[in-house]
Amino acid sequence: MSQPTQRFARSLFGGWGRRSVIGAPYLFLVAMITIPFLVVVKLSVSESDGIRFADVVAVADGALTIKLKFSNYVFLTSDDLYLATYLSSIKFAAINTLICLLIGYPFAYFMARSPAAMRPALLMLVSLPFWTSFLLRVYAWRGLLDDNGIINGFMVWLGIVDEPLKMMRTSFSMTVGMVYTYLPFMILPLYATLSKMDLRLLEAAKDLGAGPLKAFWLITVPLSKNGIIAGSMLVFIPSVGEYVIPELLGGSSTLMIGRVLWDEFFANNDWPMASSVAVTMVLLILLPLAIFNRYQAKNVAGRN
Amino acid sequence: MDSRFGRAWLIAGYAFLYMPILTLIVFSFNDSKMVTLWGGFTFKWYEAIISDRAVLEALVLSLKIALMTATASVVLGTMAAFALVHYNSFPGRTAFAAHLNAPLVMPEVITGISLLLFFVTLERALGWPERGMMTIWAGHTSIGMAFATVVIQSRLLEMDKSLVEAAKDLGCKPFQVFYLVTLPLISQALMSAWLLTFTISLDDVVVSAFLSGPGSTTLPMLILSRARLGLDPTINAIATITVTVVAVFVVAGSIWMFRREKRNAAEQAAAFHDAQVAG
């Protein structure tokens, strides 16, 4: 940023003004993100007494005692169901990310290479579903994939299959729902990097004797690395904890940690257990989260 | 690459994105209770939701929360974006940016459960806040402000800073500069941020479910509870109405913004031309 602008900013919001412009959103974030998460961490190691919970720090007989209970975490790591659920959540999120990338990359590529006059409309068409209710769009797949659903009805009518296929409440229906929901999150960052690419580099590669595939692999793909990383993280991290899609489209075999957490909380009322499930989930996505943060910082720095 | 292959890929992709929405709309006019069999044309599901008090109450609550969320998110998001763009160093800047990125990707169940436990702890200690509209609003705003910041920040970054300098040189006071130059220039971004956070709030079900109290059921919570039970044609009718309203707003908004941008560019070019002629 240029010196005069900095001076301008300082003169506009120097002193108290500056402090409140930074302070107000900062305080809000700390109050709504940091402190609540610390409450969850605390609760996950506190004694459970049904729905109530005892304090971790207590003054008993004049002495400060700290009672930590790690039994929830011990249970989490020793219980096969939880382990299997975490693994299966990561598996489904990874499959989802991969399919979104395989469909989304060519999609974003062809969008970016289409006539300039068409691009705003193409872009709007990708983001339009994002503006309409996600819940309703997931629900729509139930009508499509049901045993008596539209796709089965169509295939039986055409004579492709004799009996309706069992698609609903399988890992297939859940994967379709996840890919459908998260595809725009993959396409948009990919399009942003691909449309900014300098096409003269491809001409140069061609002049130097590279075939189209080689030029694509050696130039286009590396230049769109930031888009690939951003898109993958935007898809992977939220899909690990997805609740609505497994609830509406998944079955008993599609274990997802978000759904287990929800049940632990609302059906079993075990708040300490639900808290430790949540803390473990955050630990699980910490690394992808750090990658995403780094990319975001780089992206902003690049534009600044 | 083969352009015919590219076109086919795009068409298939858009079909995938739009087919479910189209089937929802078509089957909202289906006379058969079986959602998947065509039984003739009808408006009866629309009549059913118009006289459904639960749906109307949930809709009003959702709209109220979305209005408050969008407004609060844009105010906080503008401050946060301004802080990130104009103050290159302040204590905890990295943590601030990380805090703003977290809600963009954090699974909603985590946001929901941590805010709920926080509010419950507060309530036990202070007798406040009671869970309901206000707690849902707070939860939605913590997500919404992150999205608003991204939108406003990217606009502030591409803003032509010489305009601010020019206004200052011509004698504007700092606050005049902000109101007369910066604000009009980022007004489009503020508008898109407001619309985006409005829809995010209107759409959210997971955070709302954790933070709602007795009697505060939002429309998505109602839809989810009905969708769990199976296919329900009234949901199709609700979907059709939402899709229509959103499509009209987004298309009209895009056209309006496109025209405004063109007009702004033309005005700037004309002003620049006049200045050149005069100089």
Side-chain angles (χ1 to χ4, degrees):
Chain A
M1 194 168 58
S2 64
Q3 276 295 314
T5 341
Q6 268 179 2
R7 230 179 303 131
F8 161 70
R10 217 172 298 137
S11 66
L12 178 53
F13 291 117
W16 279 105
R18 173 188 156 122
R19 250 169 259 170
S20 47
V21 165
I22 300 170
Y26 213 155
L27 266 182
F28 183 79
L29 287 172
V30 169
M32 303 302 285
I33 295 171
T34 322
I35 298 176
F37 187 67
L38 292 178
V39 171
V40 174
V41 173
K42 187 197 136 190
L43 190 52
S44 72
V45 291
S46 63
E47 300 277 350
S48 160
D49 176 18
I51 198 165
R52 297 196 64 90
F53 44 93
D55 250 326
V56 173
V57 184
V59 182
D61 304 326
L64 188 74
T65 55
I66 298 176
K67 274 187 282 181
L68 291 182
K69 188 178 144 250
F70 289 102
S71 61
N72 288 328
Y73 289 99
V74 174
F75 185 68
L76 265 187
T77 45
S78 60
D79 188 73
D80 284 346
L81 175 72
Y82 281 106
L83 209 60
T85 310
Y86 278 115
L87 288 177
S88 136
S89 306
I90 293 176
K91 186 188 84 185
F92 279 114
I95 292 174
N96 181 28
T97 311
L98 192 68
I99 299 177
C100 281
L101 189 62
L102 289 177
I103 300 177
Y105 196 98
F107 195 94
Y109 180 89
F110 294 128
M111 259 174 86
R113 300 289 171 268
S114 59
M118 272 173 71
R119 273 181 238 157
L122 291 176
L123 194 60
M124 199 186 75
L125 281 173
V126 171
S127 45
L128 198 58
F130 180 68
W131 292 84
T132 66
S133 173
F134 143 75
L135 184 61
L136 292 169
R137 283 181 289 128
V138 172
Y139 166 79
W141 281 101
R142 288 185 82 148
L144 283 162
L145 296 174
D146 201 68
D147 287 356
N148 308 308
I150 295 158
I151 292 176
N152 262 325
F154 197 61
M155 287 199 302
V156 171
W157 182 71
L158 280 179
I160 300 172
V161 289
D162 300 327
E163 295 266 298
L165 292 175
K166 169 78 184 156
M167 293 186 287
M168 198 45 211
R169 298 222 165 277
T170 61
S171 46
F172 173 74
S173 60
M174 198 176 76
T175 308
V176 169
M178 298 241 284
V179 170
Y180 173 69
T181 305
Y182 286 102
L183 188 59
F185 292 93
M186 181 66 91
I187 293 174
L188 294 176
L190 280 174
Y191 173 79
T193 50
L194 284 169
S195 62
K196 272 186 298 194
M197 212 182 103
D198 190 347
L199 292 177
R200 284 172 305 180
L201 291 170
L202 289 179
E203 278 169 38
K206 197 179 159 197
D207 291 346
L208 294 171
L213 272 179
K214 195 173 178 191
F216 174 77
W217 190 245
L218 290 178
I219 293 171
T220 311
V221 172
L223 279 176
S224 55
K225 198 186 91 194
N226 279 353
I228 296 175
I229 294 174
S232 301
M233 295 302 117
L234 273 174
V235 172
F236 181 81
I237 304 171
S239 7
V240 171
E242 184 56 56
Y243 168 75
V244 172
I245 301 170
E247 173 71 16
L248 290 181
L249 298 175
S252 50
S253 62
T254 54
L255 290 169
M256 290 294 282
I257 198 65
R259 205 172 164 203
V260 170
L261 173 69
W262 180 288
D263 289 342
E264 206 65 71
F265 197 87
F266 284 108
N268 303 344
N269 265 324
D270 191 344
W271 292 15
M273 193 66 213
S275 304
S276 39
V277 174
V279 171
T280 315
M281 202 202 291
V282 170
L283 291 178
L284 216 63
I285 57 178
L286 217 52
L287 181 71
L289 207 59
I291 298 174
F292 180 69
N293 262 331
R294 224 181 109 218
Y295 162 79
Q296 279 285 83
K298 242 198 235 166
N299 194 23
V300 169
R303 271 190 297 190
N304 200 342
Chain B
M1 208 165 288
D2 193 340
S3 75
R4 221 182 309 158
F5 176 72
R7 215 172 301 148
W9 194 276
L10 285 179
I11 290 171
Y14 284 117
F16 177 63
L17 288 177
Y18 283 93
M19 182 180 59
I21 301 174
L22 281 178
T23 57
L24 268 185
I25 294 173
V26 169
F27 280 88
S28 74
F29 298 106
N30 183 14
D31 202 10
S32 157
K33 173 89 185 158
M34 286 286 297
V35 179
T36 50
L37 276 175
W38 186 254
F41 188 84
T42 183
F43 276 120
K44 71 179 175 193
W45 309 117
Y46 291 89
E47 285 159 20
I49 52 167
I50 286 169
S51 53
D52 192 334
R53 278 200 70 86
V55 170
L56 292 180
E57 274 168 22
L59 174 67
V60 169
L61 179 71
S62 284
L63 288 174
K64 271 189 205 163
I65 294 173
L67 271 173
M68 296 195 303
T69 300
T71 310
S73 299
V74 168
V75 172
L76 287 168
T78 309
M79 292 170 115
F82 201 91
L84 282 175
V85 173
H86 287 287
Y87 305 134
N88 272 344
S89 61
F90 57 84
R93 190 183 188 279
T94 318
F96 185 57
H99 268 95
L100 279 165
N101 285 338
L104 301 179
V105 284
M106 192 57 85
E108 281 186 295
V109 279
I110 306 261
T111 313
I113 199 171
S114 54
L115 280 171
L116 171 63
L117 294 175
F118 171 58
F119 286 139
V120 168
T121 311
L122 267 186
E123 201 183 346
R124 277 179 191 166
L126 309 169
W128 173 91
E130 209 167 298
R131 262 175 287 147
M133 190 169 85
M134 298 314 275
T135 48
I136 300 178
W137 172 49
H140 286 186
T141 304
S142 74
I143 299 173
M145 86 170 274
F147 281 90
T149 307
V150 171
V151 174
I152 298 165
Q153 189 186 10
S154 64
R155 180 70 190 125
L156 278 177
L157 282 173
E158 68 189 22
M159 202 177 104
D160 188 352
K161 277 160 190 145
S162 56
L163 293 173
V164 168
E165 288 304 306
K168 266 194 87 186
D169 289 348
L170 292 171
C172 272
K173 298 242 161 47
F175 272 104
Q176 281 180 309
V177 178
F178 186 74
Y179 280 110
L180 296 174
V181 180
T182 312
L183 217 50
L185 279 175
I186 63 168
S187 66
Q188 270 179 43
L190 297 185
M191 177 92 154
S192 351
W194 195 91
L195 285 174
L196 180 66
T197 46
F198 185 86
T199 29
I200 287 171
S201 167
L202 202 60
D203 200 16
D204 172 80
V205 60
V206 175
V207 173
S208 308
F210 276 100
L211 299 180
S212 75
S216 57
T217 305
T218 63
L219 190 60
M221 286 166 65
L222 188 86
I223 294 172
L224 179 65
S225 67
R226 289 189 185 179
R228 272 200 190 109
L229 299 176
L231 296 164
D232 182 343
T234 58
I235 299 180
N236 291 45
I238 296 174
T240 307
I241 297 171
T242 357
V243 169
T244 315
V245 172
V246 167
V248 167
F249 268 94
V250 171
V251 171
S254 309
I255 292 172
W256 180 77
M257 278 184 195
F258 182 70
R259 286 214 179 131
R260 232 186 96 120
E261 205 156 281
K262 252 175 131 177
R263 206 184 59 205
N264 274 356
E267 274 173 11
Q268 277 181 25
F272 186 65
H273 178 76
D274 288 352
Q276 271 187 327
V277 169

